[in-house]
Amino acid sequence: MAQKLIIYHCYGGAHSSVVAAAIHLNKLDAKRIPTTEELLSLSLFDRQTKDGHGRLNYYGCDEWGNMVFSVGCRSKGPAMETFLSNAAELVGLSGRLIFVDTLHCVTFKMRLGGYISRRLGLIKIGRPLVASGTRAAFPRLVELVGRIKALLQK
Amino acid sequence: MKYLYLGLNDFYLSSAAAAMHLELVPVPPDYGKLREIKHFRPFCRCDEGMFLRMGTDKRGNEVYLAAVSAHPEIFVRGLNSLLAACGIPPAEVKIILCQPENPQIGRIVSLLNKLGLRAAADRLGAGMVRNRLSDLKRLIFMQKTVSA
């Protein structure tokens, strides 16, 4: 079977999509809530800026050889899915892209912390808040990634 | 090579540029010729991100249109990074951004269309093409020179 490209996407590509990609690649233990240090050790967690929106960040290959990416699409997630799927058809990658929207797993704390850290640039205030929100959202992200992996296994 | 003319909020500039690229209309095109161009029209939400095929140029390159309602730069980055991730040369798909000088015009076009004033929207679209004609000609010339 051809290698798939799994693209986790959210608004800013700095939190939920990064954590989902890390769970997918077993960089975070899905069986327990990660510590704030573990979250901050992820290279792109709370580090993406608006200049990187749209860029697919490669995270690695999963156990089936599929490539895993995270990306921030602002509010254009569905349009980006259509756009990249159409582009994939042009270059012979038809049917190989799997888009996973992680935005519905995001908690209010993550949104608020992400806004303070990424938009306002107040990292000292926003980062602990977004990390705490991400820990609260972690089980939902694990469930989402579990569904995707089950789909891939089939 | 594939050319993608990417418009913001409408298909007027992008379809006119693609038609000029394909030499389907004289340069400068008059209003009547512009209205005959396939997809010379406003944009609706269901079109967002869709690729519309315009034809094949004399060198055998395929020409497409697409339009988005905001942040065209993230779509450009997305496509370029997808090509890079898959080891496909970036020249395989060339994106040419076709934006009006003032993005608010796109919203006015959309509003006119929603009010049922399609002819007025088309007139405004033709005006946008006239205003950006020299830029569009330069962009098309540059792309054709690169591909040659």
Side-chain angles (χ1 to χ4, degrees), chain B residues 39-94:
Chain B
H39 306 302
F40 186 79
R41 61 179 173 86
F43 160 86
C44 77
R45 289 276 164 186
C46 57
D47 291 320
E48 191 160 23
M50 292 284 287
F51 285 21
L52 306 170
R53 197 172 187 281
M54 280 294 280
T56 306
D57 71 12
K58 283 178 179 165
R59 291 198 175 92
N61 303 308
E62 289 174 39
V63 178
Y64 293 86
L65 295 184
V68 293
S69 61
H71 310 304
E73 72 284 359
I74 70 168
F75 294 87
V76 176
R77 279 190 216 120
L79 178 53
N80 288 336
S81 58
L82 175 70
L83 297 178
C86 297
I88 298 165
E92 187 71 21
V93 184
K94 291 289 275 182

Side-chain angles (χ1 to χ4, degrees), chain B residues 86-115:
Chain B
C86 297
I88 298 165
E92 187 71 21
V93 184
K94 291 289 275 182
I95 303 185
I96 300 122
L97 269 177
C98 303
Q99 295 185 70
E101 305 93 326
N102 183 351
Q104 285 176 338
I105 295 174
R107 282 180 220 132
I108 296 169
V109 166
S110 170
L111 182 67
L112 288 171
N113 190 44
K114 277 180 192 162
L115 293 171

Side-chain angles (χ1 to χ4, degrees), chain B residues 105-135:
Chain B
I105 295 174
R107 282 180 220 132
I108 296 169
V109 166
S110 170
L111 182 67
L112 288 171
N113 190 44
K114 277 180 192 162
L115 293 171
L117 302 168
R118 173 68 195 275
D122 286 353
R123 283 254 173 225
L124 195 54
M128 279 196 275
V129 174
R130 264 198 311 276
N131 286 348
R132 292 292 314 274
L133 192 64
S134 56
D135 280 344

Side-chain angles (χ1 to χ4, degrees), chain A residues 5 16 31-32 34 44 66 76-77 80 102 118:
Chain A
L5 283 82
S16 61
K31 292 191 181 74
R32 64 173 179 82
L44 271 177
N66 302 308
K76 295 279 146 212
M80 187 67 133
T102 60
R118 298 293 87 209

Side-chain angles (χ1 to χ4, degrees), chain A residues 4-75:
Chain A
K4 301 268 185 200
L5 283 82
I6 321 294
I7 301 166
Y8 289 100
H9 65 89
C10 60
Y11 184 88
H15 307 110
S16 61
S17 59
V18 172
V19 172
I23 296 167
H24 189 115
L25 295 170
N26 303 317
K27 288 183 179 173
L28 288 173
D29 186 354
K31 292 191 181 74
R32 64 173 179 82
I33 308 284
T35 61
T36 300
E37 289 70 33
E38 282 173 314
L39 288 175
L40 293 179
S41 71
L42 300 172
S43 56
L44 271 177
F45 185 81
D46 200 41
R47 286 183 182 91
Q48 180 80 281
T49 62
K50 69 173 185 168
D51 295 335
H53 288 169
R55 189 176 303 129
L56 303 182
N57 296 299
Y58 175 64
Y59 261 75
C61 278
D62 67 7
E63 50 269 54
W64 302 287
N66 302 308
M67 295 163 87
V68 178
F69 299 86
S70 76
V71 62
C73 302
R74 299 199 198 172
S75 54

